[in-house]
Amino acid sequence: MKLRDQFRFVQQNMKKNKTRVFMTILATAMGCAFLIVLASVGFGLQKSVVKEMMEQRVVTQIDVHGKEVKEGGFRPINKKDIPTLEKIKDVKAVTRRIRLEQESNYKIGNYQGGQETFVTNFPAEIKAGFELSAGRLPKADNEVVVGYDFPLNIGTTDEVDDLYDNKGHVKKKYRYPETLIGKNLEMTVKQLKKGKIVEKKINVTVVGIGKKPTREWMQDNSVFISEKTLKEIERFTGTPRGAMLSADEKLLENPDSYEDIYDEVKIYANTMEAVQGIVDQLKENKFENYSIVNELKQVNTMFTIAKAGLIFIGTIAILIASIGIYNTMTMAVTERAPDIGIMKAIGAHPKTIKRIFLLESSYIGLIGVVIGTVVSYGISYAVNFVIPLIIKQAFGEELPAGITFSDIPFILPVICFVICYFVTILSGYRPAQRAVRVDVLKAMRREV
């Protein structure tokens, strides 16, 4: 019997028992849909978490915290380490910053604001992607560049209850009304001397304003001063980085011992694909580092375990549906005993008879997979649309934009197909074996 004839025979037999076959296919489709939709929750939440992580961090950025020393501890990154880091393959830039260890107050006329202050290497920052929205880079020691949000946080010194808006910026009516480019700011630093707070005023000129951060929720209020200005502050405070002493602390004898050490060192890779290679080289050279790759590994591992658990639970539903397939095929063997007897009488090979019943069980399973997959995509779409509305109505909370509760990647229907096909063959195998063992004479007398 040709394969085409076997398929025709299977289809004819399935049409004879439409209701039973339909209910079996329906059960299989429900099992497949349950597996796909259940697992899609794991895929959807993973997609949302990974997307959120990648939006919050620059994906090509690697933070370098220190280097392991022979004694087993770690030391900070210094100037001698920078050439080593820059020579690593696929490194685009190595930025390094020194942080002023006190919040400085900047004042212009009747307006002021306190922000973080840094010394940085601008050529490296430019390589890493730093841009200006206005002005230029510093050329003189008393010139500074400020972050995009710095001008938005310079407000009136008058006591006002509603100074800030809902974004944390000074309201426009209290904000400095002119551009800060070319304006002189009075920078104030403090130190505790002989039990009293002493202040020092340093005049700096704003020559550039950074570009607006790419993510709306981010704010850049930084002020970038020169190394000479930092040295002036350290001479006044008597401490490295201009740290302010408490009542029980004393001045360090040699504050210059910290001058070659950086507080923030970041490596920027050429591409995201190159990050892992750079991280591996940093580990080989004993540099302690952190990147989004480390975080993604942990998150992906956790979600992989969760998805495997959900797929396992969904598989149980298909196994339950397989009982229906087994019952349908067992009934088919009983009802078609005369047909089996005739096929054997005319010389049909036992393998051909077995293949016919395995084809029928496979047919039922595959139709169920197709229907279940189509239905699961519809349910997934409905879940992503309806659940945010339910949460908003029931709990009064607005979910973040773009959150995904259910996502069905191509691999999920493939996994479902493989599981369902295996279970289907397993369910039809025993009835097929029984069909092979049917006695010809008994079958012809309908005594099976």
Side-chain angles (χ1 to χ4, degrees), residues 59-60 90 92 268-276 278:
V59 295
T60 58
D90 292 320
K92 178 181 178 182
Y268 292 86
N270 287 320
T271 62
M272 183 179 176
E273 291 73 21
V275 172
Q276 186 60 59
I278 295 173

Short mmCIF file of all heavy atoms in Angstrom, two decimals, residues 59-60 90 92 268-276 278:
data_model
loop_
_atom_site.label_atom_id
_atom_site.label_comp_id
_atom_site.label_asym_id
_atom_site.label_seq_id
_atom_site.Cartn_x
_atom_site.Cartn_y
_atom_site.Cartn_z
N VAL A 59 24.17 49.58 27.39
CA VAL A 59 24.46 48.15 27.25
C VAL A 59 25.92 47.86 26.95
O VAL A 59 26.40 46.74 27.17
CB VAL A 59 23.57 47.51 26.16
CG1 VAL A 59 22.12 47.55 26.58
CG2 VAL A 59 23.76 48.20 24.82
N THR A 60 26.66 48.83 26.45
CA THR A 60 28.08 48.61 26.14
C THR A 60 28.99 49.09 27.28
O THR A 60 30.21 49.08 27.14
CB THR A 60 28.48 49.34 24.85
OG1 THR A 60 28.19 50.75 24.99
CG2 THR A 60 27.72 48.79 23.65
N ASP A 90 38.57 45.69 21.25
CA ASP A 90 37.18 46.16 21.10
C ASP A 90 36.77 47.21 22.12
O ASP A 90 35.58 47.50 22.28
CB ASP A 90 36.19 44.98 21.17
CG ASP A 90 36.31 44.05 19.98
OD1 ASP A 90 36.50 44.56 18.86
OD2 ASP A 90 36.22 42.82 20.15
N LYS A 92 36.21 50.86 23.12
CA LYS A 92 35.99 52.12 22.42
C LYS A 92 36.58 53.29 23.20
O LYS A 92 37.21 54.19 22.63
CB LYS A 92 34.49 52.33 22.21
CG LYS A 92 34.10 53.62 21.53
CD LYS A 92 32.58 53.71 21.42
CE LYS A 92 32.14 55.02 20.80
NZ LYS A 92 30.66 55.11 20.73
N TYR A 268 33.80 51.43 27.67
CA TYR A 268 32.73 51.36 26.68
C TYR A 268 33.21 50.52 25.50
O TYR A 268 34.24 50.80 24.90
CB TYR A 268 32.35 52.76 26.21
CG TYR A 268 31.67 53.57 27.29
CD1 TYR A 268 32.41 54.30 28.21
CD2 TYR A 268 30.27 53.57 27.40
CE1 TYR A 268 31.79 55.03 29.22
CE2 TYR A 268 29.65 54.29 28.42
CZ TYR A 268 30.41 55.02 29.31
OH TYR A 268 29.80 55.72 30.32
N ALA A 269 32.45 49.44 25.22
CA ALA A 269 32.80 48.54 24.13
C ALA A 269 32.29 49.08 22.80
O ALA A 269 31.36 49.89 22.75
CB ALA A 269 32.20 47.16 24.40
N ASN A 270 32.90 48.61 21.71
CA ASN A 270 32.46 49.03 20.38
C ASN A 270 31.05 48.55 20.07
O ASN A 270 30.25 49.25 19.46
CB ASN A 270 33.43 48.49 19.32
CG ASN A 270 34.76 49.24 19.34
OD1 ASN A 270 34.78 50.45 19.49
ND2 ASN A 270 35.85 48.51 19.19
N THR A 271 30.73 47.32 20.50
CA THR A 271 29.40 46.74 20.28
C THR A 271 28.99 45.96 21.52
O THR A 271 29.83 45.62 22.36
CB THR A 271 29.40 45.78 19.07
OG1 THR A 271 30.29 44.69 19.35
CG2 THR A 271 29.82 46.49 17.80
N MET A 272 27.71 45.66 21.61
CA MET A 272 27.23 44.86 22.74
C MET A 272 27.82 43.46 22.70
O MET A 272 28.09 42.85 23.74
CB MET A 272 25.70 44.80 22.71
CG MET A 272 25.12 44.04 23.90
SD MET A 272 23.32 43.98 23.89
CE MET A 272 23.03 42.93 25.33
N GLU A 273 28.02 42.91 21.48
CA GLU A 273 28.57 41.57 21.34
C GLU A 273 29.99 41.48 21.88
O GLU A 273 30.44 40.40 22.27
CB GLU A 273 28.55 41.14 19.87
CG GLU A 273 27.17 40.88 19.29
CD GLU A 273 26.37 42.16 19.04
OE1 GLU A 273 27.01 43.25 18.94
OE2 GLU A 273 25.13 42.08 18.97
N ALA A 274 30.69 42.62 21.91
CA ALA A 274 32.09 42.62 22.37
C ALA A 274 32.21 42.70 23.88
O ALA A 274 33.30 42.49 24.43
CB ALA A 274 32.84 43.79 21.73
N VAL A 275 31.11 42.99 24.57
CA VAL A 275 31.16 43.18 26.03
C VAL A 275 31.68 41.94 26.74
O VAL A 275 32.53 42.02 27.62
CB VAL A 275 29.77 43.59 26.56
CG1 VAL A 275 29.77 43.59 28.10
CG2 VAL A 275 29.39 44.96 26.05
N GLN A 276 31.14 40.77 26.38
CA GLN A 276 31.54 39.54 27.05
C GLN A 276 33.03 39.27 26.90
O GLN A 276 33.70 38.87 27.86
CB GLN A 276 30.74 38.36 26.52
CG GLN A 276 30.98 37.04 27.26
CD GLN A 276 30.63 37.12 28.73
OE1 GLN A 276 29.51 37.42 29.10
NE2 GLN A 276 31.61 36.86 29.58
N ILE A 278 35.42 41.48 26.47
CA ILE A 278 36.15 42.45 27.30
C ILE A 278 36.08 42.03 28.77
O ILE A 278 37.08 42.09 29.50
CB ILE A 278 35.58 43.86 27.10
CG1 ILE A 278 35.85 44.33 25.67
CG2 ILE A 278 36.20 44.84 28.09
CD1 ILE A 278 35.17 45.64 25.31
#
